Amino acid sequence: MKKTLVVYGSSTGTCQSIAETIAEKLGAEVIDVANLDDAQVNEAENLILGTSTWGAGEVQDDWYDGLNKLKKLDLNGKTVALFGCGDCESYGDTFCGGMDEIYSALQDKGVKFVGQVSTDDYTFDDSAAVVDGKFVGLALDDINEDDKTPDRIDAWLDDIKGEL
């Protein structure tokens, strides 16, 4: 596997824990987006980017500076996979919408997105992170569906490993 960097933004620790699990399973480096520097991004060929969702489907606060940093860098040719944390019961109308903000910010940066996930096994009302019937990345609800999280992570990693 090529050099992979797992970057997360987490306010409560849930997204951090998931990022650490993903990084451990891949043997990748993991870093809080608040501590991200240009050299780390430039050295990585693969970026796995994760955010919790806040407010009306927004990224975790540290991601605003992180996205500004990423948009200034040359990401052409990098492979990007996204994951997001949300609450499908309390925020079913914006479920994992934070992933969409990252996806939209990087769409014109020459990256190859991998890891889209079918919405079939999810219960939610709406999500900006759904494009053509699939989430733009791995959607996780570790509040209401924590029993599904390990299997969802494993299935997603199996799906993207060949691309990394």
Side-chain angles (χ1 to χ4, degrees), residues 8 19 25 48 50 63 68 70 72-73 75-76 80 83 87 103 106 110 123 130 142-143 145 149 153 163:
Y8 68 89
K25 289 177 179 275
I48 299 178
W63 266 109
N68 286 334
L70 287 175
K72 292 176 184 174
L73 297 175
L75 303 178
N76 194 45
V80 174
F83 70 95
D87 180 339
Y103 177 77
L106 301 183
T123 304
V130 174
D142 213 46
I143 297 165
E145 298 181 335
T149 297
I153 291 171
E163 304 278 353

Side-chain angles (χ1 to χ4, degrees), residues 5 7 36-49 63 66-82 101-113:
L5 183 63
V7 183
L36 186 65
D37 68 42
D38 295 359
Q40 292 164 313
V41 175
N42 291 335
E43 291 171 9
E45 295 178 61
N46 304 313
L47 300 172
I48 299 178
L49 310 175
W63 266 109
L67 284 174
N68 286 334
K69 183 174 290 193
L70 287 175
K71 288 191 284 189
K72 292 176 184 174
L73 297 175
D74 179 10
L75 303 178
N76 194 45
K78 292 189 186 294
T79 299
V80 174
L82 305 174
E101 285 200 43
I102 298 173
Y103 177 77
S104 296
L106 301 183
Q107 265 189 311
D108 64 349
K109 295 295 294 174
V111 302
K112 175 185 175 186
F113 286 104

Side-chain angles (χ1 to χ4, degrees), residues 1 5 17 23 35 37-38 58 61 65 72 80 85-86 108 113 118 131 152 159:
M1 185 174 71
L5 183 63
S17 175
N35 302 319
D37 68 42
D38 295 359
E58 299 156 7
D61 287 344
D65 288 339
K72 292 176 184 174
V80 174
C85 302
D108 64 349
F113 286 104
S118 171
V131 174
R152 285 178 172 166
D159 184 50

